[in-house]
Amino acid sequence: MSRIAPEDAKRVAELARLRLDDAELPAMTAHLERILEYVDLLMEVETDGIEPTAHAIPLATPTRSDEPAGEFTPEQAVANAPDADGTAFCVPKVLDDEAAS
Amino acid sequence: MTERFGSVSELRSALDAEQTSSRELIERSLQRASGVGERLSVFVDLQNDQAVAAADAADARRAAGETRSPLDGIPLVIKDNIVQQGERAGCASRILEGYVSPFDSTVVAKLRAAGAVVIGRANMDEFAMGSSTENSAYGPSRNPWDLERSPGGSSGGSTAAVAADIVPLALGSDTGGSIRQPAAFCGVVGMKPTYGRVSRYGLVAFASSLDQIGPLGRSAADCATLLDVISGHDPKDSTSLPEPALTTASALTGDVSGLTIGLPREYFETEGADPALLEKVRVAAGMLEAQGAKLVEVDLPHARYAVAAYYLIATAEASSNLARFDGVRYGRRAEGAANLKELYERTRSEGFGAEVKRRILLGTYVLSAGYYEAYYRKAQKIRTLLRQDFDAAFAGCDVLLTPTTPETAFRLGDKTEDPLTMYLSDIYTVSANLAGLPGVSLPCGLVEGLPVGLQVLGRPMEDAAVLRVADAYQRLTDHHLARPEDLA
């Protein structure tokens, strides 16, 4: 059932915020195709009525008292940023000039 | 001080008797790390100054009668995906180049409190994705038994460091076999504890419902000592079990009489598995039977679906976990992006290696509209069936005995062209992660000069039982004492 074309791989890459250049695309598409062909063997298992398992150990979501717990200072939080200004992370413009005006 | 490290209890006795000092142990480790370690590409970072200072502090405590734990002053290495405050933590990836952790992982905090001395950070497959350590941005680690072969992965650096006698203990992480498979390839003991027994706080997540930190060492007893120090409930990890720290070391009695050991029929009928390895497992089972254990055959009818289910679940979780690497908050950032989307795409495309990209793509695909039910949901249902298989098997036995890998260490480069053949090297290990079981791999002999791994799997929470069986076997045999020719 799984047949993945280069354009599918490219679309998925865009969703994942990755770029596949023309040199990478054929090999990556072929690898994905081969892996998906293999996982198709799961389709031979009858799973109607079987509950899915998201986690090996069933645990209720733990709660704690609603009190502030200090972790990092703002300075520590931005210490690893590739580009920071004071305690702010810097990023390129989100809106283009036309939208911003 | 002998040329090679003894067991942790021997080292401790030598320290107590003042036959050696922690300073001496650490200097020996550091010396081997920069010699043999370099030839094996075991380390991504050595912490010479911090390690020597910590050793001196341990010696001072011992002199004052204030030794903190059985690991006080003992050297070890940790995998590059477990963070330490003030140290780089790169997950062997270009995308985390330059990242310095502002906090300690819980396991590192516990090790510090116990007085253990971290000498460096071990090489690994990028973000723990791989079974050979060939996906590291720093190049592959090598197997001390044969430098042309892989040490396994993804904890290949940690494991090779123990096998090459650089350190007596190491920490790895196991998402689908990443501690047990390299332990098998390198002839050491490696354990994946029950999911939730060891805090994952400060472990860079690959697949959160499967990842577990665990010990590597020469013997089950050494692994038990390390496990007992790092285990226990952690409020900082919402998946941590509300249980106290383990006391597995005290359970190692050597007695297996009355224990029922299951041999999963399907594991011995796996296509492509080396018959010589299966025979070693049967011989090991026979030895335990002679000590009073009872052997039974059991069925795991869905075993052949485990790898497929695993890769769907693991990649789906990975695609979500690795979304955080965007070039904004930490790590590397691509130069000259005109807008935010381009910044994300270029940073991630330049920073991630091929295997990580492949898994992110697979994970994104199987979670996308139209495929979620067919793949991800289906894999989660198979996970339920695998758990039910184990429940049924454990109704009739206490532990399972299996091979750890279908073959001995493969040559570097042999599987890099075909990711699927690499994935299949985890065929005996992934089920334990899907079901949350404790599992240990220990050496059970050599085939053509290369180590063979024996795997013991137990019921969830019965970490002590698997270590007890491993320890009992090691009392009967000396396979764990076999070492590769010295590489110094």
Side-chain angles (χ1 to χ4, degrees):
Chain A
M1 63 172 276
S2 53
R3 294 297 170 263
I4 185 163
E7 50 271 28
D8 298 323
K10 223 166 183 164
R11 185 183 61 85
V12 175
E14 196 187 343
L15 289 174
R17 298 292 183 261
L18 288 170
R19 279 184 186 181
L20 296 180
D21 60 35
D22 292 343
E24 286 176 295
L25 190 61
M28 196 61 91
T29 308
H31 283 156
L32 290 176
E33 171 80 22
R34 179 154 157 68
I35 295 163
L36 288 169
E37 265 176 30
Y38 174 72
V39 302
D40 272 353
L41 92 114
L42 297 186
M43 306 311 157
E44 71 190 43
V45 185
E46 176 55 59
T47 52
D48 284 354
I50 304 291
E51 283 297 311
T53 297
H55 225 268
I57 307 285
L59 273 176
T61 305
T63 56
R64 63 168 172 79
S65 54
D66 187 18
E67 288 164 5
E71 283 291 332
F72 305 136
T73 63
E75 289 74 21
Q76 284 173 319
V78 297
N80 275 293
D83 189 4
D85 183 1
T87 56
F89 295 104
C90 297
V91 293
K93 282 192 297 187
V94 176
L95 303 173
D96 61 29
D97 290 337
E98 204 173 314
S101 61
Chain B
M1 186 64 210
T2 56
E3 181 52 34
R4 292 176 162 173
F5 280 122
S7 67
V8 171
S9 68
E10 285 166 354
L11 291 174
R12 197 177 156 201
S13 301
L15 286 166
D16 287 342
E18 296 182 12
Q19 290 162 347
T20 187
S21 63
S22 179
R23 175 77 177 248
E24 247 180 67
L25 297 180
I26 268 60
E27 285 183 341
R28 180 183 175 281
S29 275
L30 289 169
Q31 197 180 351
R32 274 187 82 77
S34 56
V36 176
E38 199 148 304
R39 289 182 62 194
L40 298 170
S41 297
V42 161
F43 290 95
V44 298
D45 222 354
L46 281 175
Q47 297 164 10
N48 297 49
D49 295 345
Q50 301 93 313
V52 169
D56 287 344
D59 284 332
R61 281 194 297 273
R62 197 169 295 275
E66 294 166 358
T67 299
R68 289 177 179 171
S69 83
L71 294 184
D72 204 346
I74 302 287
L76 82 168
V77 301
I78 64 175
K79 191 173 175 178
D80 198 29
N81 58 352
I82 300 170
V83 306
Q84 295 167 273
Q85 187 172 20
E87 300 288 345
R88 283 180 291 201
C91 296
S93 178
R94 277 193 293 274
I95 209 164
L96 268 171
E97 261 169 16
Y99 174 75
V100 174
S101 175
F103 69 107
D104 266 340
S105 52
T106 295
V107 290
V108 165
K110 287 182 177 232
L111 288 172
R112 285 192 209 276
V117 180
V118 177
I119 68 147
R121 305 183 59 79
N123 200 4
M124 57 184 279
D125 283 300
E126 183 179 6
F127 285 106
M129 296 182 189
S131 307
S132 68
T133 317
E134 288 168 287
N135 297 325
S136 166
Y138 303 100
S141 293
R142 293 173 180 276
N143 191 315
W145 290 84
D146 178 346
L147 270 56
E148 299 306 310
R149 291 178 190 270
S150 166
S154 63
S155 308
S158 297
T159 313
V162 173
D165 257 310
I166 296 168
V167 280
L169 291 169
L171 281 187
S173 68
D174 190 313
T175 305
S178 279
I179 289 174
R180 290 161 289 153
Q181 183 254 20
F185 278 12
C186 293
V188 304
V189 182
M191 184 189 187
K192 179 203 111 50
T194 299
Y195 184 87
R197 281 297 210 173
V198 176
S199 170
R200 293 185 300 110
Y201 180 74
L203 170 69
V204 180
F206 158 15
S208 308
S209 80
L210 307 164
D211 297 337
Q212 188 64 176
I213 295 173
L216 286 146
R218 281 273 165 211
S219 66
D222 285 359
C223 286
T225 304
L226 178 51
L227 177 63
D228 291 351
V229 167
I230 60 172
S231 63
H233 178 245
D234 179 13
K236 291 177 175 172
D237 172 3
S238 63
T239 60
S240 169
L241 291 168
E243 304 287 332
L246 286 159
T247 53
T248 58
S250 60
L252 308 183
T253 59
D255 183 12
V256 292
S257 58
L259 211 67
T260 304
I261 296 175
L263 300 171
R265 197 173 283 118
E266 293 77 8
Y267 281 28
F268 291 87
E269 293 167 357
T270 302
E271 199 183 323
D274 183 342
L277 272 63
L278 302 178
E279 185 53 27
K280 293 275 182 202
V281 178
R282 286 197 191 91
V283 170
M287 294 182 75
L288 292 166
E289 187 180 30
Q291 296 297 307
K294 184 181 165 200
L295 301 183
V296 294
E297 279 207 329
V298 298
D299 282 305
L300 296 172
H302 297 92
R304 68 185 293 252
Y305 306 108
V307 171
Y310 169 80
Y311 276 92
L312 293 175
I313 291 168
T315 56
E317 293 186 15
S319 70
S320 170
N321 276 325
L322 270 60
R324 73 189 63 172
F325 299 100
D326 56 11
V328 172
R329 288 156 297 158
Y330 34 70
R332 166 195 175 113
R333 170 182 284 197
E335 298 288 328
N339 57 50
L340 202 54
K341 187 179 176 209
E342 194 181 321
L343 173 74
Y344 294 157
E345 287 183 344
R346 287 181 45 187
T347 296
R348 290 163 62 79
S349 302
E350 292 171 16
F352 290 135
E355 181 60 27
V356 174
K357 286 181 190 169
R358 185 154 41 234
R359 297 200 194 194
I360 291 174
L361 291 175
L362 182 63
T364 305
Y365 182 78
V366 303
L367 288 177
S368 62
Y371 298 106
Y372 177 88
E373 287 287 335
Y375 289 114
Y376 182 62
R377 192 86 164 162
K378 183 85 180 179
Q380 286 189 316
K381 290 182 170 192
I382 304 286
R383 187 177 189 174
T384 305
L385 294 172
L386 285 160
R387 284 187 63 192
Q388 290 172 353
D389 285 356
F390 280 113
D391 287 346
F394 284 125
C397 64
D398 300 296
V399 296
L400 300 175
L401 212 60
T402 86
T404 310
T405 58
E407 58 180 353
T408 53
F410 48 81
R411 288 182 188 282
L412 290 165
D414 265 9
K415 295 183 192 282
T416 44
E417 288 307 306
D418 183 358
L420 187 57
T421 64
M422 185 77 86
Y423 296 174
L424 289 169
S425 65
D426 296 334
I427 196 157
Y428 296 130
T429 51
V430 295
S431 298
N433 301 79
L434 289 164
L437 313 177
V440 64
S441 177
L442 64 156
C444 66
L446 302 176
V447 166
E448 294 177 7
L450 294 169
V452 176
L454 172 71
Q455 181 175 234
V456 188
L457 298 175
R459 299 184 186 104
M461 309 296 283
E462 297 197 359
D463 304 76
V466 299
L467 284 167
R468 183 173 137 213
V469 172
D471 172 68
Y473 178 76
Q474 293 194 313
R475 292 179 190 225
L476 299 171
T477 59
D478 58 4
H479 299 306
H480 59 295
L481 302 177
R483 315 245 168 145
E485 277 180 39
D486 198 9
L487 304 159

